[in-house]
Amino acid sequence: MREQITKTRLTRMLAEDKEGLNPETAQAALLDFQRVANEYFETESKPKMLTQKENGLISVTVTFRAVRVKNFTKLK
């Protein structure tokens, strides 16, 4: 009986791990995306993230509004 409960818990944990981001991880990712976006753009909004699972793969879309691109030149 105990072995079956352990097996069920482990199966559930593995399934949940593959399903998507927990709130803490999603928040950390959004903070990183915002930091990188601010390096290249003058942003007008905070980034939003959408994740979709298709055919065993996860598609991630990050969107934000920007008012200009911060162009830079490569130093020689």
Side-chain angles (χ1 to χ4, degrees), residues 6-45:
T6 302
K7 183 178 178 181
T8 302
R9 283 183 60 206
L10 180 59
T11 302
R12 187 188 51 164
M13 287 172 53
L14 290 172
E16 288 174 358
D17 186 47
K18 290 182 179 181
E19 284 185 12
L21 298 173
N22 64 38
E24 294 82 11
T25 304
Q27 183 62 29
L30 280 171
L31 288 173
D32 284 343
F33 289 135
Q34 183 173 6
R35 180 185 51 76
V36 171
N38 287 334
E39 290 181 15
Y40 295 93
F41 303 94
E42 185 177 320
T43 61
E44 185 178 69
S45 68

Side-chain angles (χ1 to χ4, degrees), residues 30 33 45-50 60-65:
L30 280 171
F33 289 135
S45 68
K46 292 186 177 185
K48 296 178 185 175
M49 180 173 53
L50 172 66
V60 180
T61 305
V62 178
T63 58
F64 58 89
R65 295 179 55 87

